[in-house]
Each structure stands twice: as C-alpha cells, then as structure tokens.
Amino acid sequence: MSPLISRVPGLPNAFRMDLPDLQTTGQLAALLAPWLAPGDLVALRGDLGAGKTAFARALVRVLADDPQLEVPSPTFSVLVGYEFARVKVVHADLYRVEDPDELDELGWDELSADSIVIVEWPDRAAERLAADRLIIEFDLAPDLGPEGRRAILSGSGEFIERLDRLHVSELLIDASGFGAAERRYMQGDASSRSYARLVLPDRSAVLMNAPRRPDGPPIRRGLPYSRLAHLAEDVRAFVAVARGLRAQGFSAPQIYAADLDRGLLVIEDLGDGGILGGSPPEPIKERYEVAAEVLAALHTRALPHVLHIAPQSEYVLPVYGVEAFLIELELMLDWYLPFRNVRADAVVRDEFLMLWRNALSPVLNEPQTWVLRDYHSPNLIWLPQREGLQRMGLIDFQDAVLGPAAYDLASLAQDARVDIPENLELHLVGHYVAQRREVDPTFDARAFTHLYALMGAQRATKILGIFTRLHQRDGKPQYLRHLPRVRRYLARCLGHQELGSLRMWYEAVLPSKDLQT
C-alpha cells in the first residue's frame, strides 16, 4: 500500500492525491484538518466543476466534527463564517469579486485574522492573500472514473515545511501497517499538538503530530518558561514515559512507529471511553476510584529516574522543584490579576513569592515519585475490556516530572474542566490514603492532606493564569468558563489550617468573590 499522497516528479514541493469519488475527497479533508490552525489560508484553484466546493464542504464538516452539517455555497454571499468548538472557519467564494478592495466592505481582514480561511477562486484577492498558504489545484481526471479528480498540493512560506511533514507522516503511517486506514480528524487539546485517528476494519491507531516546541523568550537565568517549568520540548519524553508506564503494567499507549526528530508518532488508540458520564458530564464515582487506585499503586513503587526511549537513548525525568512551582505560580500575577483589574506591584509580588517559597519547603523533604502532571478527566480513558488497574488508560503525560505524590491526586480530585463535588473529593482522598496504608501502615495521612491542599492551591493558582493566557494571548475564550470552578477549588485548598498565611495574601489581593466556595 502506498501513502495517500505522493510527490509530484520534477516539483520537489508539490504533492498529488487521486480522488476517484466524493469519499476520497472527504478523506483528503480529514487528512489535512489536523495540520490546520487559526490564521491558516487554504487556497482552492481549478476550473468550474473541478471539485473545489465539494472539497470545501468536506473540510468545513470535518472541522465541525459534523458530517451532516449544512454548508451552503458562498457564491452569492461571498463569505460564510462558522464558529466551532475548536476553531472559527471562513468559507469564501471570490468568483464574483472584481476588485480586491471589495473585500474591505466584507470585513475580510477581521474575519480571516483568527480563522481557518478556505478560499475558492483565490486569485481574485491578489495581494490580499496571506503569504503563508496551502494551495490545492483540482483537475478533472477521467482516468480515475466518471467522478474522478486529481488534487495537487503545494505551499508558500511556512506551508512548504508543513506539507513535507504531512508527507513524512503518511510514510510513517504506511510503514506502521495503517496505510489503508480511514483518516478521522480528532479534536485537539490546548497545546500545539494535533491528532488523527487511523481506522481499519479490525483495529485503529492515532497519529500524533507534535513538532518540537520552540523556545520562547528568556525570562530568567537566560531560560524560557518551558525550560524553567520543565515542559517537554519534543516527543522523546512522551515515548520514554509511555514505555516506562507500560513496563510498570499500566495502560499507556503502545508506540507503533516513531520519527523522533520530526515529532511524529503512530500510537495505540485507547478509544474514547472516559471517566465522565451523562449530560452535562458528571464524574463516574467508580471510575474515579480506579484512577485514584492507579496513583496509589504507582506511588508505592520504587520507580526509575532514567527512562529508556530506544537502545542507547535515555530520558532523565526532571525534578519538580520549588523554582518550577514558583515560575508556574507567577502566571497568575502576569495574566490573571491584570485580567481581574488587580495591580500587583513589586511589593505584592515579592510577598507572594516569599509566602509560596516558605509554604513549599515541605516538598523538599518529600519522597520523589512520577508526577504525570495532567492527571484529569481529558487524559484518562476507561477500558472496560481490561482488568484491574489496566482499565484506566493514560495519555498526555509528556510533561512528567519527579515530585510529590499529592500533585496528581489534586489534579484528579480537583478537575479544572468538570465539577467535583466536595464529598466526592474527600472520598477520593480517603480512598487513596486507604490504598497507601494497605501497603505501608505507617503512611502519614495528616502530612499528606497538608501537601494535597498545598499542591491543589498551587495548581489552581497556575491554572487561573494559564486559562487567562489561553484567552488573551491565544484567542481561546472557551477556557474562561472554567475559571469560577478553579476559584472554588482554590478557596477549598486555602481553607486548610496550615495555609493560613497564603490565604491572607489571596484574601487581601483578589476580589472577595473570587474566594467564595
């Protein structure tokens, strides 16, 4: 089986895909969707009847995750806008545009700034098109059948490299045995990673596209935020932790094929089963209990600090120390407080950091274990066909570090994306403690609950900053709806008797309603 797309001989930056019918046109849309992001422009060229509109409809439906979505032709309206959960999309047909200046009256610049823009007859826009763009030329192809079309893909600017990555990913998929699979677009997360499901009649896999994280500006000691907070820079961390978890008997994805340098993986598909149920989604108590049991089992083991990626290739887990905690906490000062119209001068900042540095001192004496760091409902997959602790599938752990056991339990029992009732939270903490005491009767529950409240407060503070940044910097306002929940978690944690000094700072600085439980 050859890859779906192939290079065009004599044109090093052009690729070809044969489209014998509408189904394969939809397959091309599913193939491309994970590689598109807000601000991208897809220029569709070809004669009347060449298949531009059919492809545009297919791509809009894939991005909407709705195969039945009504997608009218914009021939007369020129522009049709959509606002989906992941992204905004603009579908434009410029056939009737005679002068590029007409686009000003239609609000072209405003609409296209933070949307994926799909343009038929793009040449009518002349220089108004973005310099970085994906170009798809459609031609009739009678040799492929009565509905046959052929698509030639090329790019300008940064899309040249992105198309090359796409082609390499298709070679990797083919080598892994999933070349014949149907590509299905998967909604991504808050990161720059993208995913596609590869579906065969009897099995499936997931393509993870995770390009190396570019370093941001240096903010301290010449290092960017990602280095200071120990965020994974490439897929080597994911591969190492996945193999480490599997070696311990837990359900992390198997790695079927990998291009480590490019950040492309074909991995086991653990499915869509989650630990939430109902509408609106609510925690399923029994599944949360299993998730807590997985943590307790992990934390009772002597775990290696050096993980294997491949023969003669190792990954050293970084230590989640006080400096990393503090740089995360500063996100609230830098993003959330200005968003709430609170001014934090140098004195306020210094007091905040001093209080937190003192509060975090017990962490230095804690035994270090694996902290998966985003151990919450979006990253926990229910696998009812498996037994015991293997029923809990684990994903999105590439930022794992060595740190205090309480952190991941706080992540689970104070889920930023779903309400965890306080009685369920207390039950989960008690269930975890009981599991630990079965193995070690001397396990100190009182000290652990102090660290749990401390880690919960640190995590909630950090998330207030992260979710505000996602809104203000990255144009993702959907994260704002979680802020009231995170504030309630923060208030719960600060109610712990040993966090009194921190609580006084928050009460003095934050608006009073921000700490109402």
Side-chain angles (χ1 to χ4, degrees):
M1 177 78 186
S2 59
L4 289 178
I5 65 170
S6 57
R7 291 192 181 274
V8 177
L11 298 174
N13 296 320
F15 302 88
R16 185 184 82 176
M17 182 169 173
D18 293 339
L19 309 172
D21 49 36
L22 280 176
Q23 183 177 351
T24 47
T25 297
Q27 187 80 311
L28 175 59
L31 182 76
L32 291 173
W35 300 85
L36 300 176
D40 285 345
L41 187 140
V42 182
L44 309 181
R45 292 176 173 167
D47 294 334
L48 287 169
K52 301 185 299 297
T53 301
F55 171 80
R57 283 197 177 103
L59 184 54
V60 170
R61 287 169 178 156
V62 169
L63 293 170
D65 195 23
D66 183 357
Q68 305 304 319
L69 180 70
E70 185 69 27
V71 183
S73 170
T75 300
F76 295 101
S77 61
V78 182
L79 302 176
V80 177
Y82 302 88
E83 203 157 330
F84 303 134
R86 170 185 177 259
V87 71
K88 291 191 287 187
V89 178
V90 173
H91 179 195
D93 184 333
L94 306 186
Y95 183 73
R96 297 171 58 243
V97 172
E98 296 182 359
D99 187 324
D101 290 341
E102 295 175 32
L103 297 176
D104 291 329
E105 301 174 14
L106 299 168
W108 172 267
D109 291 335
E110 294 80 4
L111 287 170
S112 60
D114 58 350
S115 301
I116 294 175
V117 182
I118 308 164
V119 186
E120 301 180 47
W121 303 99
D123 294 341
R124 305 290 175 95
E127 71 280 355
R128 301 297 293 275
L129 293 181
D132 298 326
R133 57 184 179 268
L134 171 64
I135 303 159
I136 309 178
E137 184 98 32
F138 293 92
D139 290 310
L140 297 173
D143 56 305
L144 299 177
E147 297 181 355
R149 305 288 190 273
R150 187 165 282 113
I152 304 296
L153 288 71
S154 59
S156 65
E158 67 93 18
F159 258 105
I160 295 174
E161 190 274 338
R162 210 185 304 184
L163 269 179
D164 184 65
R165 282 181 60 82
L166 186 154
H167 181 241
V168 171
S169 76
E170 285 300 304
L171 295 173
L172 192 70
I173 290 168
D174 196 50
S176 70
F178 284 89
E182 177 188 352
R183 276 63 166 170
R184 294 182 186 172
Y185 171 66
M186 296 176 68
Q187 296 287 347
D189 51 21
S191 73
S192 60
R193 297 182 296 273
S194 64
Y195 305 87
R197 181 164 275 136
L198 313 171
V199 182
L200 291 171
D202 59 341
R203 60 194 178 112
S204 62
V206 171
L207 170 71
M208 178 192 293
N209 170 35
R212 182 177 176 83
R213 184 198 305 267
D215 283 342
I219 61 174
R220 190 158 302 153
R221 294 188 284 109
L223 298 175
Y225 175 84
S226 59
R227 292 274 191 91
L228 295 167
H230 303 311
L231 302 180
E233 297 184 339
D234 56 39
V235 296
R236 287 172 171 81
F238 181 92
V239 173
V241 179
R243 289 179 171 164
L245 287 167
R246 288 177 62 83
Q248 294 292 328
F250 297 106
S251 291
Q254 181 179 351
I255 311 297
Y256 295 139
D259 186 324
L260 298 177
D261 292 332
R262 292 179 181 265
L264 297 167
L265 302 176
V266 179
I267 64 176
E268 180 183 7
D269 181 10
L270 297 181
D272 294 319
I275 61 174
L276 306 175
S279 182
E282 295 181 346
I284 300 174
K285 179 181 177 182
E286 295 75 14
R287 298 182 186 181
Y288 268 79
E289 287 176 341
V290 174
E293 291 165 11
V294 167
L295 289 179
L298 186 67
H299 298 159
T300 57
R301 301 183 186 185
L303 300 169
H305 293 190
V306 179
L307 302 175
H308 296 283
I309 302 171
Q312 299 183 342
S313 179
E314 295 178 334
Y315 178 76
V316 179
L317 284 170
V319 175
Y320 206 3
V322 170
E323 293 303 321
F325 283 124
L326 290 176
I327 200 68
E328 292 178 334
L329 287 160
E330 289 187 59
L331 292 172
M332 188 186 78
L333 302 176
D334 296 335
W335 294 94
Y336 181 72
L337 291 189
F339 176 69
R340 299 291 287 154
N341 297 314
V342 175
R343 181 175 175 269
D345 59 22
V347 173
V348 172
R349 292 181 71 100
D350 289 346
E351 184 182 16
F352 175 82
L353 294 174
M354 178 194 70
L355 289 169
W356 266 108
R357 188 179 293 276
N358 292 337
L360 288 165
S361 58
V363 173
L364 301 176
N365 300 319
E366 273 295 290
Q368 293 181 340
T369 187
W370 293 358
V371 177
L372 303 185
R373 221 165 179 185
D374 285 310
Y375 194 84
H376 53 183
S377 58
N379 301 330
L380 299 173
I381 311 298
W382 186 244
L383 303 170
Q385 71 277 18
R386 301 187 185 183
E387 296 182 356
L389 298 181
Q390 289 196 341
R391 290 176 296 170
M392 192 56 60
L394 310 175
I395 60 173
D396 200 7
F397 38 66
Q398 59 280 335
D399 294 328
V401 288
L402 293 170
Y407 187 92
D408 277 347
L409 187 64
S411 177
L412 173 71
Q414 295 189 352
D415 194 320
R417 290 169 174 79
V418 65
D419 288 328
I420 307 292
E422 191 168 6
N423 61 344
L424 176 58
E425 179 188 0
L426 293 173
H427 171 75
L428 291 172
V429 174
H431 188 62
Y432 172 91
V433 169
Q435 297 288 314
R436 292 292 302 269
R437 279 184 162 168
E438 282 189 14
V439 178
D440 178 10
T442 66
F443 180 74
D444 189 339
R446 186 178 182 277
F448 180 82
T449 53
H450 168 217
L451 285 169
Y452 172 86
L454 184 68
M455 292 295 93
Q458 191 275 348
R459 182 171 172 80
T461 300
K462 169 180 69 173
I463 291 174
L464 290 176
I466 290 174
F467 284 2
T468 306
R469 185 177 65 182
L470 284 167
H471 163 58
Q472 294 188 317
R473 187 192 71 182
D474 303 334
K476 297 179 178 180
Q478 64 269 29
Y479 287 92
L480 293 183
R481 71 179 187 271
H482 301 305
L483 294 184
R485 176 185 304 114
V486 178
R487 290 195 293 258
R488 290 194 296 272
Y489 292 147
L490 176 60
R492 281 188 208 171
C493 292
L494 292 175
H496 192 279
Q497 60 182 0
E498 296 188 54
L499 301 188
S501 297
L502 281 173
R503 182 172 65 251
M504 291 174 62
W505 184 94
Y506 282 82
E507 288 175 346
V509 173
L510 291 181
S512 59
K513 65 180 181 179
D514 278 18
L515 292 178
Q516 293 175 358
T517 58

